[in-house]
Amino acid sequence: REYKSNGRLLTKPSKNAMKSFCDKVRTKIKSNKSAKASSLIRMLNHMIPGWANYYRYGASSKAFSRVDFEIYKTLWQWARRRHPKKGMHWIKDKYFKQLHGRDWCFAATTKNKKSGKESTLRLKRLADTPIQKYVRVRTNVNPYDPADAPYYARRKSKASLFSALSSCVCSAGAIGVAGSVGSAVSLCTK
């Protein structure tokens, strides 16, 4: 969908796109009613980043938050169905943990069979995906002109640096905790 605001074109996911993705996630969760939480997280973690990467170049942050809420509601129904005789606090303590200063993260503790170490596997959130601006190519430059080669080299190096930073921050799960790019770089080097 397109929205004009202050002479700028804003693109965001359409309601149909959000609905179809939510339906796909709901179908995946409902078809795995008896699956372990860790298996469900692994299945959903394959779906969520693909959809987020497709829509991250628009004004998508509100749409991402809305879809995250819909996923949360479906996961809450899944957890309540698995434990109908348990209370809400027990279900919250079992499936929704506090990680990196954020409460209500759908997570599961897994144990490595070889080393015996326990690790926490958490569901990725769409809202953690950094929204990127699409950088237009200058109209007066030609990719086949050797005089314009430095422009394209700079453009390529900036794009690769930003993608490396955003993937590192997303894998660390520290969006919102990192605070700035400088602290994100320090997280990646540790």
Side-chain angles (χ1 to χ4, degrees), residues 6 17 21 25 37 64 83-84 93 95 128 154 166 169 172 183 185:
N6 298 332
F21 181 69
V25 170
F64 284 175
H83 306 284
D93 291 340
Y95 293 110
D128 288 345
R154 260 194 332 271
S166 65
V169 172
S183 56
V185 172

Side-chain angles (χ1 to χ4, degrees), residues 27-36 40 43 78 82:
T27 306
K28 181 67 82 172
I29 293 171
K30 288 179 181 179
S31 64
N32 292 291
K33 290 179 180 176
S34 62
K36 291 181 181 178
L40 192 61
M43 284 185 256
W78 173 85
R82 283 184 61 119

Side-chain angles (χ1 to χ4, degrees), residues 29-146:
I29 293 171
K30 288 179 181 179
S31 64
N32 292 291
K33 290 179 180 176
S34 62
K36 291 181 181 178
S38 58
S39 302
L40 192 61
I41 289 170
R42 285 189 184 96
M43 284 185 256
L44 293 176
N45 277 349
H46 286 293
M47 297 170 63
I48 291 172
W51 195 80
N53 287 337
Y54 183 79
Y55 286 108
R56 73 177 172 185
Y57 291 104
S60 307
S61 59
K62 287 183 182 177
F64 284 175
S65 296
R66 178 64 193 182
V67 173
D68 276 339
F69 175 68
E70 294 296 328
I71 292 171
Y72 156 75
K73 282 196 320 187
T74 309
L75 288 171
W76 183 253
Q77 290 172 351
W78 173 85
R80 295 269 316 256
R81 183 197 172 278
R82 283 184 61 119
H83 306 284
K85 297 189 190 267
K86 296 288 185 179
M88 291 181 356
H89 293 289
W90 186 91
I91 293 171
K92 191 255 181 210
D93 291 340
K94 179 160 179 68
Y95 293 110
F96 296 92
K97 315 239 187 285
Q98 182 176 6
L99 299 171
H100 303 293
R102 176 185 277 168
D103 208 5
W104 291 90
C105 291
F106 187 72
T109 305
T110 58
K111 193 171 188 176
N112 190 342
K113 291 180 182 178
K114 290 182 181 179
S115 65
K117 289 184 180 178
E118 287 189 352
S119 62
T120 302
L121 184 65
R122 75 174 185 96
L123 184 70
K124 293 180 180 178
R125 288 193 182 197
L126 287 166
D128 288 345
T129 304
I131 304 297
Q132 295 180 357
K133 301 282 186 200
Y134 182 77
V135 181
R136 293 182 288 181
V137 179
R138 281 197 238 156
T139 57
N140 59 351
V141 294
N142 185 350
Y144 301 108
D145 187 8

